[in-house]
Amino acid sequence: KVLAGRGMLEAVTWSFIRETQAHLFGWSDETLRLANPISADLDVMRPSILPNLIAAVGRNADRGIGDSALFEVGAVWKSDTIGGQETVASGVRAGLSGSRHWSERPRVVDVFDVKADAMAVLGACGGPVDKLQATPDTPNWYHPGRSGALRLGKNVLAWFGEIHPKILE
C-alpha cells in the first residue's frame, strides 16, 4: 500500500517517465514526447511526480527498507505551452508509521496520516488550513473512498490518499 502525502526524506527524480506510466497519471499530449530520450524507458515529460516517487519507494522495499516517506518539489508538464509547466510538491509514504518506542507499537500508514501531511505542508506555506474543505473528488489514480481533495472554495489546493491498487500493479 502506497499513500501520497511528515518526517519525509527529499527525493530528486528524473523529469521524464515511461509512456505507460504517464498515461496512468493523466498524460495525453504527444507534444510532451521526447524526440531524443536519454533512455527508451524515459520517453515523455512527466505529468506527475508520483510515478517516480512510487518507483523510489519500490526500490527501497526491494532493498529491505519497507517503511518509506519521500517527497519532491519539482516540475510537471501538462502541455508544451508557456503555462504548461507547473511546480508542485508531492510525497509518498509506505509501510509503518509512528514512533519507535517500547510503549507504542507502529501502525500501518493510512489516509489520515497523509491528509495531516498535506495540511501541514499547506499550513507551512501560509495556507488557510482552518478554512479548507475536504471533498471526495480526486483523479483516477487515487483509491476511491480512501482519498480526498482539500479545497478552498472551488479551488483544489491538494489531493491526498491511497494510490489505486490497479495503478500500483
Side-chain angles (χ1 to χ4, degrees):
K1 173 158 93 168
V2 175
L3 298 133
R6 236 153 355 183
M8 295 187 171
L9 296 176
E10 183 177 11
V12 178
T13 64
W14 293 105
S15 294
F16 334 107
I17 60 175
R18 181 180 301 130
E19 178 184 353
T20 55
Q21 290 176 324
H23 281 296
L24 296 173
F25 287 85
W27 177 79
S28 63
D29 190 339
E30 275 297 319
T31 63
L32 297 175
R33 181 179 303 284
L34 298 171
N36 189 15
I38 61 171
S39 165
D41 288 347
L42 302 171
D43 56 343
V44 298
M45 300 305 290
R46 66 184 180 192
S48 171
I49 297 175
L50 288 174
N52 295 6
L53 291 177
I54 291 167
V57 166
R59 286 189 300 275
N60 284 351
D62 290 345
R63 293 180 177 103
I65 305 167
D67 303 335
S68 291
L70 304 172
F71 79 94
E72 180 176 356
V73 176
V76 296
W77 285 264
K78 304 300 179 197
S79 72
D80 69 344
T81 63
I82 299 261
Q85 178 182 336
E86 299 174 345
T87 300
V88 300
S90 293
V92 296
R93 284 183 175 264
L96 301 177
S97 180
S99 61
R100 293 181 178 219
H101 192 271
W102 64 271
S103 68
E104 191 176 318
R105 299 191 124 198
R107 61 178 175 69
V108 175
V109 175
D110 63 23
V111 67
F112 300 107
D113 293 314
V114 295
K115 180 182 178 189
D117 290 344
M119 298 281 284
V121 169
L122 290 171
C125 293
V129 294
D130 56 327
K131 294 183 172 118
L132 296 178
Q133 245 186 337
T135 60
D137 51 317
T138 57
N140 293 336
W141 53 85
Y142 286 100
H143 195 299
R146 296 183 188 175
S147 59
L150 294 174
R151 294 178 166 278
L152 185 59
K154 64 180 181 172
N155 299 312
V156 174
L157 301 185
W159 291 305
F160 64 91
E162 190 174 320
I163 301 298
H164 198 288
K166 290 187 180 191
I167 298 294
L168 294 178
E169 283 178 20

